[in-house]
Amino acid sequence: MKISFEFFPPRTNQGKEKLTQVRQSLSVISPEYFSTTFGAGGTTQNATLKAVLDIQKNGNIPAAPHLSCIGSEKSNIVELLDKYKSANINRIIALRGDIPSDMHDIGDFHYANELVEFIQSEYNDYFHIQVAAYPEMHPQANNIASDLAHFVNKIKAGANGATTQYFYNADAYFRFRDDVQKLGVDIPITPGIMPIINYTQLLNFSNMCGAQIPKWILERLKLYETDLESLGDFGFDVVSNLCQTLKSQGVGSFHFYSMNRTEPSLKLAKSIV
Ligand code: FAD
């Protein structure tokens, strides 16, 4: 079973130290890689570079930087990728990114497929490129057919794999996997798994990224909003059942949105390895 964990770049020294410990704890199950998010439009880009180089230098789990292209020039992308290549980093999560409302200059890229094509043309298969997938449809897509076609374009442009937005409905993932297979896509589609640990935070994330929380889950989370122990137990049940269902249908890789915490991602990951 292939497992990966995602972090956001820490903003303080304390956050950095905590993340180092988190990484050490997660390393016990030998993850395939540790990825680090990247703020579209410049917000955390230097912090991402620092965090990624730190992972690559101070551990034995490979670092995989996220790279969003919106607002970037080709020259900035090359500058960053050259730094990653010099540090022996060979896996990139290539994204468009969310367009900040105050962004006036979109830059050289409009969509992620253009970034994938550019990386492949500049680096000739050096990087393993992972792209984003949306089993419940990307929130800005006009309809499911066009969203699937755009996803296929990213694979045709040279992506090697995909990681999904989180979801709590396994059928959405299976349908997506079937649909893209029918369109000729034959790459691993790794489910992105979001542990349930905080009601308000999950609600906010889900509103932002368009992931649906089924009503039967939402109602229970509401009930346990201030009882974190019950919420954690219930959340673990829901997400570990989801992982088991996915595993039973042939899923061989999982990506955990760790939120820079060891538990509950590690507990969930251990339940499927
Ligand atoms: P795209 O694949 O370009 O798609 C974006 C939208 O445009 C879709 O609706 C698609 O259907 C549509 N589209 C694509 N091509 C065309 C076309 N030619 N014409 C018209 N419409 C088109 N964001 C960050 O800022 N930083 C991160 O680190 C980050 N990490 C992520 C990791 C994962 C695993 C996932 C799933 C998402 C992540 N995101 C991150 C969020 C992502 O950047 C946003 O969801 C963004 O809105 C879309 O990015 P994308 O790469 O899927 O874009």
Side-chain angles (χ1 to χ4, degrees):
M1 182 63 67
K2 291 179 177 171
I3 303 286
S4 52
F5 295 101
E6 177 173 316
F7 308 121
F8 54 85
R11 287 165 197 261
T12 60
N13 280 340
Q14 204 186 0
K16 195 177 159 207
E17 280 163 28
K18 184 184 156 215
L19 187 55
T20 305
Q21 285 163 11
V22 168
R23 287 203 315 262
Q24 274 166 4
S25 308
L26 295 176
S27 296
V28 294
I29 55 163
S30 304
E32 189 183 17
Y33 62 89
F34 286 143
S35 83
T36 305
T37 58
F38 186 78
T43 47
T44 65
Q45 300 187 350
N46 253 332
T48 300
L49 175 64
K50 278 192 191 150
V52 165
L53 296 180
D54 194 42
I55 296 174
Q56 187 73 2
K57 219 168 47 186
N58 299 315
N60 47 10
I61 310 299
H66 294 214
L67 177 60
S68 59
C69 58
I70 205 75
S72 289
E73 308 296 324
K74 288 180 176 171
S75 55
N76 314 133
I77 299 284
V78 166
E79 199 182 320
L80 199 49
L81 288 174
D82 281 351
K83 287 184 183 151
Y84 290 143
K85 194 174 171 192
S86 315
N88 288 325
I89 290 165
N90 62 3
R91 180 186 286 267
I92 297 288
I93 323 295
L95 306 144
R96 181 194 70 176
D98 285 321
I99 307 172
S101 51
D102 57 354
M103 182 180 277
H104 303 300
D105 185 4
I106 294 268
D108 284 342
F109 303 90
H110 299 88
Y111 297 107
N113 66 303
E114 296 164 22
L115 176 63
V116 174
E117 199 174 313
F118 180 69
I119 299 175
Q120 289 295 26
S121 70
E122 292 289 311
Y123 294 89
N124 287 320
D125 280 343
Y126 170 78
F127 288 106
H128 174 107
I129 303 176
Q130 196 82 5
V131 289
Y134 301 85
E136 296 177 329
M137 196 177 94
H138 185 267
Q140 289 154 2
N142 286 338
N143 57 59
I144 192 76
S146 66
D147 202 32
L148 287 167
H150 295 141
F151 176 75
V152 172
N153 283 344
K154 294 196 276 195
I155 311 309
K156 284 193 182 146
N160 307 98
T163 304
T164 75
Q165 185 54 274
Y166 67 86
F167 56 88
Y168 296 108
N169 180 348
D171 283 338
Y173 171 88
F174 295 132
R175 176 66 64 172
F176 180 83
R177 193 174 65 173
D178 289 351
D179 283 351
V180 296
Q181 258 170 15
K182 283 183 197 143
L183 294 170
V185 167
D186 186 22
I187 48 137
I189 298 172
T190 302
I193 304 293
M194 178 66 92
I196 298 178
I197 42 179
N198 182 309
Y199 169 73
T200 312
Q201 196 184 46
L202 185 67
L203 212 61
N204 289 342
F205 282 159
S206 301
N207 285 338
M208 273 188 307
C209 73
Q212 274 219 325
I213 311 175
K215 186 167 161 55
W216 69 273
I217 298 179
L218 199 58
E219 291 301 333
R220 283 166 180 79
L221 295 181
K222 247 189 247 173
L223 199 65
Y224 301 140
E225 187 175 358
T226 53
D227 174 1
L228 290 186
E229 198 178 328
S230 302
L231 188 138
D233 289 347
F234 172 69
F236 178 77
D237 263 6
V238 168
V239 182
S240 64
N241 282 341
L242 171 68
C243 292
Q244 291 303 342
T245 305
L246 294 167
K247 186 181 169 186
S248 70
Q249 299 290 316
V251 171
S253 55
F254 288 84
H255 180 77
F256 288 92
Y257 295 105
S258 80
M259 305 304 302
N260 291 14
R261 293 171 57 145
T262 305
E263 300 293 351
S265 293
L266 184 59
K267 192 170 161 201
L268 287 165
K270 279 182 171 169
S271 74
I272 42 170
V273 289

